[in-house]
Amino acid sequence: MGRVAVLSPRRDQDRRTWLRGAPPPRWVRVLPVALITGVCAATLVSGHALDIGFLLGAIPPLAVLSYGPLATAVLGVVVVVVLNIPAFHFDHPGETDLLTICFVAALSVFVSYVRSHRDAQLDLERTVAEAAQRAVVPPVPERVGSVHCTGLYRAAERGTLVGGDFFDVREGPHGVRAVMGDVRGHGLSAISTVASLLGAFREAALDRPDLESVAARLDRRLVVDSAEAHYSELFATAVLLEFSPDACEVRIVSCGHPAPVLLRGRRATEIELAPWTPLGLGLSDGAPSDALTLRLEPGDSLFLASDGVSETRDTSGAFYPLAARLAALADEDPVALADRVWADLVRYAPAVLDDVTMLVLTPGKPDAR
């Protein structure tokens, strides 16, 4: 069976660093308590008074980083109490010193209150944004008709689940049809264009009799959207596929997008396609030439990837050799192939700066009806 590895909230949290919205690491939470314990232990172990009480003044500001206002207030009170315990000999802090620490503790409580409410609002907005983005590009089912599907999506813009890439697989009266594309730009600014194209594809996959007319419908959608926009024209690259009912053939149309790779056993072969112009440049005025028809053998898989994969560079500037790497990474189980390619891509390049999308389609026996 196939599966989809679209970026989940948990994985998205793993990508975010502490300073980019992720929860603080455990050592940050432990630091205030550890500092109190360390200072007190040092003064008790030392044979003479240590003038290190000033270190305790840093505890309330440190608490702000990971604790709420109540816990911050408790730690502030603990600091004041510890400074006045004779056994610790903190150089008998004067009234001015205590007032300063009390002021810092009170200010820290206020800052903690503001931070807690801000974080709660950001969490709510992030949850709403994730729900909206998943509604635009929902996970691909494990199986669509006679085709097993495995997908992977990594948005270039941190904190988002959807960028400028898109893919979908739909079953209709004309067979199983799939699309993968890449719209102009990436990140949140591209989501509206992605939503428009996917909506047009889902409707055309049901209504249009052939793959060429589906491509023409997507092109018309972008031409209309571009005419209504107040900025430069919209365009996108895409590759569309249509599987025969018996899953023995696939028809492919490319509109400026990288061609799929045919996986047959341990061999990976780039399919030679004559690409048409990208979507949004007036393709609907003249449909693309006839789609390429490819005969499939049992066990074959088609690997589709966005240019975020093939255009990733290593430290020397060399592009990621997708076909050669696929031949080494492919095995009899296509389910984990997208994950293996992603892991290999991360090792290959110091940084992946573009949206990365992969889709593995493995035709099988049609579902029993």
Side-chain angles (χ1 to χ4, degrees):
M1 294 293 289
R3 66 184 176 88
V4 63
V6 176
L7 189 61
S8 66
R10 183 174 179 273
R11 288 190 177 186
D12 179 52
Q13 180 175 325
D14 292 340
R15 291 181 72 198
R16 290 185 282 123
T17 64
W18 171 34
L19 299 180
R20 290 180 177 267
R26 181 170 298 181
W27 65 266
V28 175
R29 297 183 60 85
V30 173
L31 188 57
V33 177
L35 185 57
I36 291 177
T37 304
V39 169
C40 293
T43 56
L44 291 176
V45 171
S46 176
H48 56 279
L50 296 177
D51 189 13
I52 58 174
F54 69 92
L55 294 176
L56 298 178
I59 290 175
L62 288 175
V64 171
L65 299 176
S66 53
Y67 289 99
L70 180 59
T72 302
V74 170
L75 287 170
V77 171
V78 170
V79 169
V80 174
V81 171
V82 168
L83 284 173
N84 285 277
I85 295 178
F88 293 123
H89 305 291
F90 284 127
D91 200 24
H92 304 290
E95 184 177 349
T96 301
D97 296 334
L98 286 176
L99 288 176
T100 301
I101 290 180
C102 289
F103 174 77
V104 171
L107 185 61
S108 298
V109 171
F110 173 74
V111 173
S112 178
Y113 174 82
V114 173
R115 180 196 58 79
S116 299
H117 281 67
R118 182 206 60 188
D119 289 351
Q121 181 64 28
L122 290 176
D123 287 341
L124 175 61
E125 293 176 358
R126 184 178 291 116
T127 300
V128 172
E130 289 175 354
Q133 293 176 59
R134 288 186 179 280
V136 173
V137 185
V140 174
E142 292 183 348
R143 179 167 180 158
V144 179
S146 59
V147 180
H148 298 281
C149 310
T150 302
L152 182 142
Y153 201 128
R154 294 291 187 275
E157 188 168 319
R158 290 180 178 271
T160 63
L161 302 179
V162 178
D165 291 353
F166 63 93
F167 60 80
D168 201 2
V169 184
R170 296 279 163 164
E171 184 179 18
H174 305 288
V176 175
R177 289 171 169 173
V179 63
M180 172 177 283
D182 182 4
V183 307
R184 176 180 177 271
H186 58 77
L188 297 175
S189 62
I191 291 179
S192 61
T193 307
V194 168
S196 181
L197 279 173
L198 284 177
F201 169 76
R202 290 160 186 167
E203 180 181 355
L206 297 175
D207 299 337
R208 307 309 297 173
D210 54 66
L211 204 57
E212 293 88 345
S213 60
V214 174
R217 179 67 63 86
L218 297 183
D219 178 73
R220 187 183 69 177
R221 178 72 269 167
L222 274 189
V223 170
V224 172
D225 290 349
S226 180
E228 297 175 351
H230 299 291
Y231 45 91
S232 58
E233 64 182 7
L234 303 173
F235 65 89
T237 62
V239 60
L240 297 98
L241 301 90
E242 178 183 273
F243 292 89
S244 61
D246 59 4
C248 292
E249 288 184 348
V250 61
R251 301 179 71 241
I252 309 172
V253 166
S254 173
C255 301
H257 197 273
V261 177
L262 174 64
L263 299 174
R264 180 167 290 168
R266 302 286 296 187
R267 290 181 298 157
T269 305
E270 290 189 59
I271 300 174
E272 294 185 3
L273 288 176
W276 199 251
T277 56
L279 302 173
L281 302 182
L283 174 62
S284 55
D285 295 334
S289 56
D290 292 340
L292 170 71
T293 300
L294 181 67
R295 188 74 181 174
L296 298 174
E297 298 180 2
D300 285 354
S301 293
L302 292 170
F303 185 92
L304 290 78
S306 65
D307 57 9
V309 177
S310 57
E311 294 183 1
T312 294
R313 300 171 181 261
D314 63 8
T315 53
S316 67
F319 290 113
Y320 181 76
L322 177 59
R325 296 280 182 153
L326 279 176
L329 296 171
D331 58 17
E332 296 180 356
D333 180 19
V335 172
L337 178 59
D339 282 329
R340 290 198 297 270
V341 174
W342 169 252
D344 186 59
L345 188 68
V346 172
R347 289 192 297 267
Y348 181 85
V352 180
L353 303 178
D354 199 0
D355 299 327
V356 168
T357 309
M358 307 178 205
L359 185 61
V360 185
L361 302 175
T362 306
K365 294 182 179 180
D367 288 333
R369 300 292 185 184

